């Protein structure tokens, strides 16, 4: 582990890392025709039944959105009172609300992870310290690495882009009186049985859990997520929200995704992703001779790999029809890292063939 402060002007701006770069940039414009292994949204979503529910909601667009039913559905799904739930326009809005609404002195972000929390904190005028987990430690968290005086700590679980699933006990050990502990569980529903989840816990002081419905259900364009926290924290965040922040179609989607049918489907999808990920990792191990390393065990719907000449390989993959996520925009990683979204076996097999060709071309 390394702790990296934000004392110089370059670091205040995000240092050498483009905190605003996300996977969708890989498949815009000239990348729109590529096979997408850059974005972590589950393929072939949203399902037909969910699209129908969203379409049905369009008849009510003349009325202002009323989030009470969807909020109650989220609360019931996690066994919480509604006062502990806040619906947001995706988890990205939640990061902005946290950065603007909470009064903190020393925020710390555990990296490598999704960069939007740090970007939101910086935009709100905060100086952000980083705890950088190391590849040689498997990017595993040691709670002792987080500075004791940090009054806001942000960590993802499972973490994007490392695909590491930290034990719930390790994350809960970060809790302190007077500290807000933000756990981004955007990909937790892709973990079979959501083991190591903290969502629904009320015994961890200062806990704030963020969930997204955009990944498993393919709703990135609709923007829907939610925050689970103590009622006083929810009230602070809600005061910072604009009026009617979540649209009527997004509210309909949230309610639908909390149903027993949806939860069962998400559970089946998580097991399918796990099997497809194992197939991808097995194929990637065949590239050991080329210096490729996979961060294991991977538990999210994506894997992180390190390989020589990764930037050149990524360029060749694009010419061969595949988009993958560059890793050098994540603090703690460099140009030798790539993130690969898990896809079905047919797509993975085609990708592995392209990767073989790209590695060969990069070595010439």
């Amino acid at each position: 582990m390394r702790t990296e402060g934000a004392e110089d002007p370059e670091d205040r701006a995000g240092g050498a890392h483009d905190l605003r770069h996300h996977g969708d940039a890989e498949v815009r414009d000239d990348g729109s025709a590529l096979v997408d292994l850059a974005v972590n949204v589950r393929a072939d979503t949203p399902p037909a039944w969910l699209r129908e529910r969203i379409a049905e909601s369009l008849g009510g667009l003349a009325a202002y959105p009323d989030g009470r039913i969807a909020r109650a559905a989220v609360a019931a799904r996690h066994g919480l009172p509604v006062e502990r739930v806040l619906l947001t326009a995706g988890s990205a809005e939640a990061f902005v609300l946290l950065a603007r609404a909470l009064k903190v002195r020393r925020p710390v972000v555990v990296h490598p992870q999704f960069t939007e929390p740090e970007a939101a904190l910086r935009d709100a005028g905060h100086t952000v310290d980083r705890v950088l987990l190391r590849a040689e430690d498997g990017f595993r968290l040691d709670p002792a690495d987080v500075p004791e005086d940090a009054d806001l700590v942000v960590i993802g679980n499972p973490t994007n882009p490392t695909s590491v699933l930290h034990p719930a006990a390790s994350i809960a050990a970060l809790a302190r009186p007077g500290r807000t502990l933000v756990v981004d569980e955007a990909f937790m529903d892709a973990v079979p049985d959501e083991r190591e989840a903290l969502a629904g816990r009320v015994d961890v002081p200062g806990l704030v859990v963020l969930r997204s419905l955009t990944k498993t259900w393919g709703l990135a364009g609709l923007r829907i997520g939610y925050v689970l926290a103590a009622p006083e924290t929810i009230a602070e965040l809600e005061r910072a929200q604009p009026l009617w922040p979540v649209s009527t179609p997004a509210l309909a989607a949230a309610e639908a995704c909390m149903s027993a049918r949806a939860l069962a489907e998400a559970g089946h999808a998580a097991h399918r992703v796990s099997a497809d990920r194992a197939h991808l990792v097995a194929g990637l191990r065949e590239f050991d001779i080329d210096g490729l390393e996979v961060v294991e065990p991977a538990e999210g719907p994506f894997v992180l790999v390190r390989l020589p000449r990764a930037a050149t390989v990524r360029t060749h993959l694009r010419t061969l029809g595949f988009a993958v996520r560059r890793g050098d925009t994540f603090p703690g990683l460099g140009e030798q890292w790539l993130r690969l979204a898990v896809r079905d076996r047919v797509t993975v097999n085609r990708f592995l063939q392209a990767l073989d060709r790209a590695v060969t071309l990069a070595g010439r």
Side-chain angles (χ1 to χ4, degrees), residues 228-259:
L228 307 175
E232 57 270 23
T233 300
I234 294 296
E236 281 190 81
L237 299 179
E238 193 167 18
R239 281 193 292 270
Q241 269 188 319
L243 291 173
W244 311 291
V246 181
S247 70
T248 295
L251 292 172
E255 181 187 355
C257 291
M258 298 300 113
S259 68

mmCIF file of all heavy atoms in Angstrom, residues 228-259:
data_model
loop_
_atom_site.group_PDB
_atom_site.id
_atom_site.type_symbol
_atom_site.label_atom_id
_atom_site.label_comp_id
_atom_site.label_asym_id
_atom_site.label_seq_id
_atom_site.Cartn_x
_atom_site.Cartn_y
_atom_site.Cartn_z
ATOM 1 N N LEU A 228 -28.069 3.911 0.426
ATOM 2 C CA LEU A 228 -28.560 3.361 1.690
ATOM 3 C C LEU A 228 -27.687 3.913 2.801
ATOM 4 O O LEU A 228 -26.462 3.747 2.785
ATOM 5 C CB LEU A 228 -28.486 1.826 1.677
ATOM 6 C CG LEU A 228 -29.163 1.113 0.497
ATOM 7 C CD1 LEU A 228 -28.896 -0.391 0.571
ATOM 8 C CD2 LEU A 228 -30.669 1.382 0.479
ATOM 9 N N ALA A 229 -28.294 4.589 3.773
ATOM 10 C CA ALA A 229 -27.514 5.226 4.834
ATOM 11 C C ALA A 229 -28.434 5.560 6.004
ATOM 12 O O ALA A 229 -29.661 5.376 5.938
ATOM 13 C CB ALA A 229 -26.825 6.492 4.311
ATOM 14 N N ALA A 230 -27.835 6.078 7.060
ATOM 15 C CA ALA A 230 -28.616 6.506 8.217
ATOM 16 C C ALA A 230 -29.568 7.626 7.814
ATOM 17 O O ALA A 230 -29.267 8.418 6.914
ATOM 18 C CB ALA A 230 -27.679 6.981 9.325
ATOM 19 N N PRO A 231 -30.721 7.724 8.463
ATOM 20 C CA PRO A 231 -31.720 8.726 8.068
ATOM 21 C C PRO A 231 -31.175 10.149 8.031
ATOM 22 O O PRO A 231 -31.521 10.921 7.133
ATOM 23 C CB PRO A 231 -32.808 8.568 9.130
ATOM 24 C CG PRO A 231 -32.700 7.148 9.571
ATOM 25 C CD PRO A 231 -31.233 6.831 9.533
ATOM 26 N N GLU A 232 -30.305 10.512 8.971
ATOM 27 C CA GLU A 232 -29.781 11.874 8.980
ATOM 28 C C GLU A 232 -28.875 12.145 7.784
ATOM 29 O O GLU A 232 -28.858 13.255 7.232
ATOM 30 C CB GLU A 232 -29.035 12.160 10.291
ATOM 31 C CG GLU A 232 -27.899 11.214 10.616
ATOM 32 C CD GLU A 232 -28.321 10.001 11.434
ATOM 33 O OE1 GLU A 232 -29.523 9.632 11.391
ATOM 34 O OE2 GLU A 232 -27.437 9.433 12.124
ATOM 35 N N THR A 233 -28.148 11.118 7.347
ATOM 36 C CA THR A 233 -27.308 11.275 6.149
ATOM 37 C C THR A 233 -28.178 11.381 4.909
ATOM 38 O O THR A 233 -27.932 12.217 4.025
ATOM 39 C CB THR A 233 -26.337 10.091 6.017
ATOM 40 O OG1 THR A 233 -25.500 10.034 7.168
ATOM 41 C CG2 THR A 233 -25.458 10.236 4.779
ATOM 42 N N ILE A 234 -29.190 10.530 4.823
ATOM 43 C CA ILE A 234 -30.120 10.596 3.691
ATOM 44 C C ILE A 234 -30.761 11.979 3.621
ATOM 45 O O ILE A 234 -30.895 12.567 2.532
ATOM 46 C CB ILE A 234 -31.203 9.507 3.811
ATOM 47 C CG1 ILE A 234 -30.574 8.106 3.679
ATOM 48 C CG2 ILE A 234 -32.301 9.720 2.778
ATOM 49 C CD1 ILE A 234 -29.960 7.820 2.334
ATOM 50 N N ALA A 235 -31.150 12.533 4.755
ATOM 51 C CA ALA A 235 -31.791 13.849 4.769
ATOM 52 C C ALA A 235 -30.842 14.922 4.250
ATOM 53 O O ALA A 235 -31.250 15.823 3.503
ATOM 54 C CB ALA A 235 -32.262 14.184 6.185
ATOM 55 N N GLU A 236 -29.559 14.848 4.641
ATOM 56 C CA GLU A 236 -28.576 15.810 4.144
ATOM 57 C C GLU A 236 -28.420 15.720 2.630
ATOM 58 O O GLU A 236 -28.376 16.743 1.934
ATOM 59 C CB GLU A 236 -27.224 15.566 4.814
ATOM 60 C CG GLU A 236 -27.081 16.108 6.209
ATOM 61 C CD GLU A 236 -25.649 16.022 6.688
ATOM 62 O OE1 GLU A 236 -24.847 16.902 6.324
ATOM 63 O OE2 GLU A 236 -25.331 15.060 7.424
ATOM 64 N N LEU A 237 -28.322 14.509 2.127
ATOM 65 C CA LEU A 237 -28.151 14.322 0.692
ATOM 66 C C LEU A 237 -29.396 14.774 -0.067
ATOM 67 O O LEU A 237 -29.302 15.382 -1.145
ATOM 68 C CB LEU A 237 -27.854 12.854 0.381
ATOM 69 C CG LEU A 237 -26.579 12.272 1.009
ATOM 70 C CD1 LEU A 237 -26.435 10.807 0.623
ATOM 71 C CD2 LEU A 237 -25.350 13.060 0.603
ATOM 72 N N GLU A 238 -30.561 14.478 0.496
ATOM 73 C CA GLU A 238 -31.810 14.842 -0.180
ATOM 74 C C GLU A 238 -31.949 16.358 -0.289
ATOM 75 O O GLU A 238 -32.464 16.870 -1.294
ATOM 76 C CB GLU A 238 -32.996 14.239 0.566
ATOM 77 C CG GLU A 238 -34.294 14.293 -0.201
ATOM 78 C CD GLU A 238 -35.369 13.421 0.429
ATOM 79 O OE1 GLU A 238 -35.238 13.054 1.617
ATOM 80 O OE2 GLU A 238 -36.355 13.109 -0.270
ATOM 81 N N ARG A 239 -31.481 17.087 0.727
ATOM 82 C CA ARG A 239 -31.545 18.546 0.672
ATOM 83 C C ARG A 239 -30.665 19.102 -0.450
ATOM 84 O O ARG A 239 -30.933 20.191 -0.977
ATOM 85 C CB ARG A 239 -31.124 19.143 2.014
ATOM 86 C CG ARG A 239 -32.206 19.102 3.077
ATOM 87 C CD ARG A 239 -31.859 19.964 4.263
ATOM 88 N NE ARG A 239 -30.728 19.425 5.017
ATOM 89 C CZ ARG A 239 -30.836 18.563 6.026
ATOM 90 N NH1 ARG A 239 -32.044 18.121 6.372
ATOM 91 N NH2 ARG A 239 -29.775 18.134 6.669
ATOM 92 N N ALA A 240 -29.616 18.362 -0.811
ATOM 93 C CA ALA A 240 -28.701 18.818 -1.865
ATOM 94 C C ALA A 240 -29.196 18.445 -3.263
ATOM 95 O O ALA A 240 -28.656 18.933 -4.254
ATOM 96 C CB ALA A 240 -27.309 18.239 -1.641
ATOM 97 N N GLN A 241 -30.221 17.598 -3.345
ATOM 98 C CA GLN A 241 -30.758 17.175 -4.641
ATOM 99 C C GLN A 241 -31.677 18.241 -5.227
ATOM 100 O O GLN A 241 -32.368 18.947 -4.486
ATOM 101 C CB GLN A 241 -31.576 15.885 -4.502
ATOM 102 C CG GLN A 241 -30.804 14.609 -4.700
ATOM 103 C CD GLN A 241 -31.731 13.402 -4.737
ATOM 104 O OE1 GLN A 241 -32.682 13.304 -3.961
ATOM 105 N NE2 GLN A 241 -31.448 12.470 -5.626
ATOM 106 N N PRO A 242 -31.710 18.356 -6.544
ATOM 107 C CA PRO A 242 -32.747 19.193 -7.160
ATOM 108 C C PRO A 242 -34.108 18.516 -7.003
ATOM 109 O O PRO A 242 -34.192 17.332 -6.672
ATOM 110 C CB PRO A 242 -32.323 19.251 -8.629
ATOM 111 C CG PRO A 242 -31.549 17.989 -8.841
ATOM 112 C CD PRO A 242 -30.832 17.725 -7.543
ATOM 113 N N LEU A 243 -35.158 19.263 -7.263
ATOM 114 C CA LEU A 243 -36.489 18.674 -7.221
ATOM 115 C C LEU A 243 -36.640 17.635 -8.322
ATOM 116 O O LEU A 243 -36.096 17.779 -9.416
ATOM 117 C CB LEU A 243 -37.550 19.767 -7.387
ATOM 118 C CG LEU A 243 -37.696 20.754 -6.225
ATOM 119 C CD1 LEU A 243 -38.666 21.866 -6.614
ATOM 120 C CD2 LEU A 243 -38.171 20.044 -4.964
ATOM 121 N N TRP A 244 -37.376 16.586 -8.037
ATOM 122 C CA TRP A 244 -37.701 15.526 -8.994
ATOM 123 C C TRP A 244 -36.444 15.030 -9.731
ATOM 124 O O TRP A 244 -36.372 15.077 -10.967
ATOM 125 C CB TRP A 244 -38.745 16.008 -9.997
ATOM 126 C CG TRP A 244 -39.911 16.668 -9.327
ATOM 127 C CD1 TRP A 244 -40.860 16.060 -8.549
ATOM 128 C CD2 TRP A 244 -40.242 18.057 -9.351
ATOM 129 N NE1 TRP A 244 -41.763 16.982 -8.090
ATOM 130 C CE2 TRP A 244 -41.413 18.227 -8.569
ATOM 131 C CE3 TRP A 244 -39.672 19.185 -9.953
ATOM 132 C CZ2 TRP A 244 -42.003 19.466 -8.368
ATOM 133 C CZ3 TRP A 244 -40.263 20.422 -9.759
ATOM 134 C CH2 TRP A 244 -41.404 20.558 -8.985
ATOM 135 N N PRO A 245 -35.450 14.529 -9.015
ATOM 136 C CA PRO A 245 -34.175 14.180 -9.651
ATOM 137 C C PRO A 245 -34.217 12.903 -10.482
ATOM 138 O O PRO A 245 -33.359 12.696 -11.344
ATOM 139 C CB PRO A 245 -33.230 14.006 -8.463
ATOM 140 C CG PRO A 245 -34.135 13.566 -7.344
ATOM 141 C CD PRO A 245 -35.418 14.302 -7.568
ATOM 142 N N VAL A 246 -35.196 12.035 -10.220
ATOM 143 C CA VAL A 246 -35.286 10.760 -10.921
ATOM 144 C C VAL A 246 -36.560 10.755 -11.755
ATOM 145 O O VAL A 246 -37.654 11.014 -11.246
ATOM 146 C CB VAL A 246 -35.277 9.574 -9.936
ATOM 147 C CG1 VAL A 246 -35.347 8.249 -10.688
ATOM 148 C CG2 VAL A 246 -34.029 9.619 -9.055
ATOM 149 N N SER A 247 -36.434 10.437 -13.031
ATOM 150 C CA SER A 247 -37.565 10.500 -13.951
ATOM 151 C C SER A 247 -38.578 9.394 -13.676
ATOM 152 O O SER A 247 -38.263 8.369 -13.054
ATOM 153 C CB SER A 247 -37.070 10.381 -15.390
ATOM 154 O OG SER A 247 -36.592 9.062 -15.637
ATOM 155 N N THR A 248 -39.780 9.581 -14.181
ATOM 156 C CA THR A 248 -40.832 8.575 -14.032
ATOM 157 C C THR A 248 -40.442 7.231 -14.630
ATOM 158 O O THR A 248 -40.644 6.178 -13.986
ATOM 159 C CB THR A 248 -42.140 9.096 -14.654
ATOM 160 O OG1 THR A 248 -42.582 10.242 -13.893
ATOM 161 C CG2 THR A 248 -43.223 8.025 -14.644
ATOM 162 N N PRO A 249 -39.864 7.169 -15.848
ATOM 163 C CA PRO A 249 -39.430 5.856 -16.357
ATOM 164 C C PRO A 249 -38.373 5.201 -15.487
ATOM 165 O O PRO A 249 -38.380 3.974 -15.305
ATOM 166 C CB PRO A 249 -38.893 6.189 -17.756
ATOM 167 C CG PRO A 249 -39.604 7.440 -18.146
ATOM 168 C CD PRO A 249 -39.743 8.230 -16.880
ATOM 169 N N ALA A 250 -37.454 5.996 -14.933
ATOM 170 C CA ALA A 250 -36.424 5.422 -14.065
ATOM 171 C C ALA A 250 -37.026 4.886 -12.776
ATOM 172 O O ALA A 250 -36.602 3.846 -12.250
ATOM 173 C CB ALA A 250 -35.357 6.471 -13.762
ATOM 174 N N LEU A 251 -38.029 5.579 -12.245
ATOM 175 C CA LEU A 251 -38.709 5.102 -11.046
ATOM 176 C C LEU A 251 -39.435 3.790 -11.323
ATOM 177 O O LEU A 251 -39.427 2.872 -10.489
ATOM 178 C CB LEU A 251 -39.701 6.154 -10.550
ATOM 179 C CG LEU A 251 -39.091 7.446 -10.006
ATOM 180 C CD1 LEU A 251 -40.185 8.468 -9.741
ATOM 181 C CD2 LEU A 251 -38.282 7.182 -8.732
ATOM 182 N N ALA A 252 -40.062 3.687 -12.489
ATOM 183 C CA ALA A 252 -40.735 2.442 -12.863
ATOM 184 C C ALA A 252 -39.725 1.305 -12.953
ATOM 185 O O ALA A 252 -40.001 0.172 -12.519
ATOM 186 C CB ALA A 252 -41.467 2.623 -14.193
ATOM 187 N N ALA A 253 -38.554 1.593 -13.496
ATOM 188 C CA ALA A 253 -37.514 0.569 -13.599
ATOM 189 C C ALA A 253 -37.036 0.145 -12.221
ATOM 190 O O ALA A 253 -36.830 -1.047 -11.959
ATOM 191 C CB ALA A 253 -36.348 1.097 -14.433
ATOM 192 N N ALA A 254 -36.851 1.105 -11.329
ATOM 193 C CA ALA A 254 -36.392 0.774 -9.979
ATOM 194 C C ALA A 254 -37.368 -0.141 -9.271
ATOM 195 O O ALA A 254 -36.979 -1.141 -8.648
ATOM 196 C CB ALA A 254 -36.187 2.061 -9.178
ATOM 197 N N GLU A 255 -38.657 0.193 -9.362
ATOM 198 C CA GLU A 255 -39.674 -0.652 -8.735
ATOM 199 C C GLU A 255 -39.657 -2.052 -9.327
ATOM 200 O O GLU A 255 -39.683 -3.064 -8.602
ATOM 201 C CB GLU A 255 -41.050 -0.020 -8.910
ATOM 202 C CG GLU A 255 -42.163 -0.830 -8.271
ATOM 203 C CD GLU A 255 -43.550 -0.278 -8.589
ATOM 204 O OE1 GLU A 255 -43.637 0.782 -9.232
ATOM 205 O OE2 GLU A 255 -44.537 -0.930 -8.194
ATOM 206 N N ALA A 256 -39.563 -2.135 -10.652
ATOM 207 C CA ALA A 256 -39.584 -3.441 -11.314
ATOM 208 C C ALA A 256 -38.371 -4.280 -10.943
ATOM 209 O O ALA A 256 -38.477 -5.504 -10.769
ATOM 210 C CB ALA A 256 -39.642 -3.249 -12.828
ATOM 211 N N CYS A 257 -37.221 -3.657 -10.798
ATOM 212 C CA CYS A 257 -35.988 -4.392 -10.517
ATOM 213 C C CYS A 257 -35.900 -4.875 -9.071
ATOM 214 O O CYS A 257 -34.990 -5.633 -8.718
ATOM 215 C CB CYS A 257 -34.769 -3.533 -10.848
ATOM 216 S SG CYS A 257 -34.549 -3.242 -12.622
ATOM 217 N N MET A 258 -36.838 -4.442 -8.231
ATOM 218 C CA MET A 258 -36.883 -4.914 -6.851
ATOM 219 C C MET A 258 -37.828 -6.101 -6.683
ATOM 220 O O MET A 258 -37.936 -6.667 -5.599
ATOM 221 C CB MET A 258 -37.335 -3.788 -5.915
ATOM 222 C CG MET A 258 -36.410 -2.587 -5.876
ATOM 223 S SD MET A 258 -34.709 -2.967 -5.334
ATOM 224 C CE MET A 258 -33.822 -2.639 -6.868
ATOM 225 N N SER A 259 -38.522 -6.498 -7.751
ATOM 226 C CA SER A 259 -39.502 -7.580 -7.652
ATOM 227 C C SER A 259 -38.806 -8.919 -7.450
ATOM 228 O O SER A 259 -37.614 -9.089 -7.749
ATOM 229 C CB SER A 259 -40.355 -7.634 -8.915
ATOM 230 O OG SER A 259 -39.571 -8.049 -10.024
#
